[in-house]
Amino acid sequence: TLNTVALCIVNDTQRAGDIIRKLRNLFRMSKGEYARMDFDRLVLDVLDLVNAKMLESGILLTTEFDDNFRLTGDATQLQQVVLNLVSNAIDALSDIEHRERVLQIRGVVSPGYLDLEIEDNGTGIPVDKQAEVFSLFKSTKFDGMGVGLWLSQSIVASHGGTLTFHSQPGQGTVFTLRLPSADYVLPT
């Protein structure tokens, strides 16, 4: 009935609002915990967390980091971002059957900033879904909530950085996380 549909819409809207509030609170809670860090070490620690899944999926991992791959940031937040990007890459690679599954992670130091590139040769992002990649509650995964990349982009922006991607459907995707390398002061 129409009343049932309206009630479902109201409940879904309230649930979405609750999720957004919880995410914002989580995001606010760890603000201010900025410290100088070896970003390559943080990335390698995240890779250790997903190593078993990569081995199980037969993924060949390569990592390459420039010297002095250091920045100032909130380690907990940045771990969440890296874990989300790596997990997405692993998921994209799990559907590949007729070629080697490769995940390449590169850390490049440039004047004033660092680039972390996470490249997979997985399924890629369909062209019609690319415009919504960072939208809240939009997901290309069957069981995805559509929160991960939205939250990752928000975290990166709070660090004064950018999160971008380039994807070729059927060939793979590269996400580039660009962050300032200088001591970063939180905006007031």
Side-chain angles (χ1 to χ4, degrees):
T1 68
L2 196 53
N3 284 341
T4 304
V5 171
L7 187 59
C8 287
I9 291 171
V10 168
N11 288 340
D12 286 349
T13 302
Q14 288 173 339
R15 185 175 148 268
D18 288 343
I19 291 171
I20 291 170
R21 270 189 297 285
K22 287 175 184 174
L23 287 170
R24 285 188 178 144
N25 286 339
L26 173 70
F27 188 53
R28 278 191 205 109
M29 279 183 354
S30 67
K31 260 192 179 173
E33 298 173 15
Y34 279 51
R36 196 77 179 146
M37 73 182 86
D38 292 320
F39 195 40
D40 52 343
R41 182 75 259 156
L42 181 144
V43 173
L44 292 171
D45 288 345
V46 169
L47 292 172
D48 283 344
L49 294 174
V50 296
N51 189 48
K53 188 172 182 182
M54 285 190 294
L55 289 173
E56 178 184 302
S57 300
I59 295 171
L60 172 65
L61 171 68
T62 63
T63 60
E64 182 182 342
F65 297 97
D66 286 354
D67 291 337
N68 297 314
F69 198 65
R70 296 176 55 81
L71 55 74
T72 299
D74 184 309
T76 302
Q77 290 183 359
L78 293 175
Q79 283 173 332
Q80 291 171 353
V81 172
V82 173
L83 181 60
N84 183 52
L85 295 174
V86 169
S87 295
N88 287 348
I90 291 169
D91 289 346
L93 288 164
S94 66
D95 294 333
I96 298 302
E97 294 180 13
H98 302 295
R99 66 177 181 259
E100 189 172 40
R101 298 171 180 172
V102 179
L103 176 58
Q104 296 176 297
I105 300 187
R106 290 178 298 276
V108 180
V109 176
S110 298
Y113 61 88
L114 307 176
D115 281 338
L116 178 67
E117 298 172 352
I118 299 174
E119 179 175 359
D120 67 71
N121 69 335
T123 54
I125 301 167
V127 173
D128 63 329
K129 303 286 186 196
Q130 290 185 14
E132 299 177 336
V133 161
F134 296 111
S135 297
L136 184 59
F137 300 125
K138 300 283 185 173
S139 179
T140 59
K141 298 179 188 177
F142 170 71
D143 59 350
M145 285 181 52
V147 173
L149 287 173
W150 173 84
L151 183 59
S152 293
Q153 189 177 51
S154 298
I155 290 170
V156 171
S158 78
H159 281 75
T162 58
L163 181 58
T164 58
F165 74 95
H166 175 73
S167 186
Q168 296 224 319
Q171 311 241 337
T173 303
V174 181
F175 274 88
T176 302
L177 170 58
R178 176 170 282 185
L179 292 165
S181 58
D183 286 345
Y184 184 68
V185 179
L186 276 173
T188 54

